[in-house]
Amino acid sequence: MEYRGSSAYDNESFYENYMRRRNREDNPNYVIEEPVILELIGDVTGKHILDLGCGDARFGKELAKQGCAYYEGVEGSSHMVRSALQQLDPACSRIHHASMEAWDYPARHYDLVVSRLALHYVEDLQLVLGKIRHALKADGRFVFSVQHPVLTSCVKSAEASGKRLDWIVDDYFKEGERTEPWIGEQVVKYHRTIEGYYQALRNAGFHIEDIRECVPRLERFRDEEEYRRRLRIPLFLVFHCGLKA
Ligand SMILES: C[S@@+](CC[C@H](N)C(=O)[O-])C[C@H]1O[C@@H](n2cnc3c(N)ncnc32)[C@H](O)[C@@H]1O
């Protein structure tokens, strides 16, 4: 069976395995991606934030701790929505159980839209970018991460077992659907080149302020060997955008 969008996360064993990995202290999302996201979003005090594909909303809890005024998450998986509701204070947060393609976005409402490792599940990225643009205030910011295009180009390395020391890049310029074996299931993701993301953002009316490939930092690792391994293959691509005047 092939899983699309959030459906894999509603498979009980996939969800449990994913959460076990995600919550490990040495998970690359915490060690490599999260510091870059936090640096780019900066001070969130008093901000109204929307998180697309928010998962269990642990990030929402962190943003609340940092002083954001209100946090909303859009999430397609009912397992994730249930976990998210347990994390958050309903007085200053809300979770919408919906796909980010179909959700009805309010106009000029948010100071910040974030999305962490969810937009590579979306087939029609241009549609979702248009909705995000519509939902941001004029001085709003959009910060998101996706799996690095080096990883999504080709599934041959994902099919091999064991720790990866290198990665096959193939079909790089053929954007589109890839079915990847992940956590014991076949999961559909969408490969786009860096240029493809950049152009889609520009076409949707965004001004790109920064692009990051999440260079691993030694001080974030407990194990130097793992740090050296993580210098080999880029895992994440992050964009920081504002709206074009
Ligand atoms: C890799 S997880 C990341 C979760 C969270 N952002 C984090 O960083 O911990 C991807 C999340 O995106 C959700 N997702 C994927 N496609 C979606 C869609 N089209 N609409 C809403 N949620 C989606 C999945 O259900 C899953 O919770």
Side-chain angles (χ1 to χ4, degrees):
M1 170 164 181
E2 261 181 17
Y3 289 97
R4 287 173 189 273
S6 43
S7 61
Y9 299 85
D10 277 339
N11 167 327
E12 194 70 46
S13 69
F14 181 94
Y15 170 77
E16 278 170 15
N17 284 328
Y18 169 80
M19 291 307 268
R20 210 168 300 128
R21 280 181 183 219
R22 180 72 176 93
N23 293 329
R24 275 199 329 237
E25 243 177 62
D26 64 346
N27 182 292
N29 302 44
Y30 288 131
V31 179
I32 303 174
E33 182 246 10
E34 186 162 290
V36 174
I37 296 278
L38 287 173
E39 182 198 326
L40 293 179
I41 66 179
D43 183 7
V44 295
T45 309
K47 292 200 171 152
H48 195 151
I49 301 177
L50 177 68
D51 185 357
L52 298 174
C54 65
D56 70 348
R58 278 177 68 138
F59 192 48
K61 200 170 166 185
E62 174 60 29
L63 294 171
K65 217 188 295 167
Q66 293 193 15
C68 89
Y70 203 85
Y71 171 87
E72 287 179 60
V74 174
E75 172 54 50
S77 149
S78 47
H79 276 140
M80 287 293 190
V81 167
R82 210 171 310 130
S83 303
L85 292 171
Q86 286 162 10
Q87 301 273 1
L88 299 170
D89 173 358
C92 53
S93 64
R94 191 161 173 209
I95 298 295
H96 306 276
H97 186 185
S99 84
M100 54 182 127
E101 293 92 329
W103 190 58
D104 191 11
Y105 294 63
R108 292 179 293 283
H109 198 68
Y110 301 101
D111 301 298
L112 173 69
V113 175
V114 287
S115 181
R116 297 180 58 191
L117 298 164
L119 285 168
H120 51 257
Y121 292 99
V122 169
E123 182 172 11
D124 193 346
L125 182 65
Q126 204 65 68
L127 171 92
V128 174
L129 293 179
K131 288 173 183 256
I132 295 167
R133 193 195 193 293
H134 161 85
L136 276 171
K137 292 179 184 168
D139 59 350
R141 290 280 172 273
F142 174 36
V143 176
F144 72 96
S145 63
V146 284
Q147 275 195 325
H148 198 287
V150 158
L151 287 188
T152 55
S153 69
C154 164
V155 302
K156 284 179 204 154
S157 297
E159 283 165 354
S161 56
K163 285 204 170 188
R164 318 283 191 257
L165 297 178
D166 51 22
W167 195 268
I168 297 166
V169 175
D170 199 359
D171 292 328
Y172 183 80
F173 291 108
K174 295 185 191 158
E175 294 192 315
E177 189 174 313
R178 304 286 193 273
T179 303
E180 185 192 303
W182 194 42
I183 321 185
E185 300 295 347
Q186 297 292 316
V187 179
V188 173
K189 297 177 179 174
Y190 292 89
H191 167 66
R192 294 174 182 96
T193 61
I194 297 178
E195 184 177 319
Y197 280 112
Y198 185 86
Q199 295 298 346
L201 287 162
R202 282 175 52 116
N203 291 341
F206 288 99
H207 158 77
I208 293 95
E209 297 192 357
D210 208 347
I211 300 179
R212 299 290 187 85
E213 293 180 293
C214 298
V215 181
R217 305 273 173 224
L218 177 59
E219 63 274 17
R220 300 283 306 180
F221 288 78
R222 286 191 306 183
D223 175 2
E224 192 169 335
E225 204 181 315
E226 178 65 0
Y227 162 69
R228 303 227 166 270
R229 185 173 81 91
R230 294 298 184 191
L231 290 176
R232 304 179 79 121
I233 307 163
L235 300 182
F236 308 108
L237 179 66
V238 177
F239 284 88
H240 177 199
C241 316
L243 298 185
K244 267 193 233 160

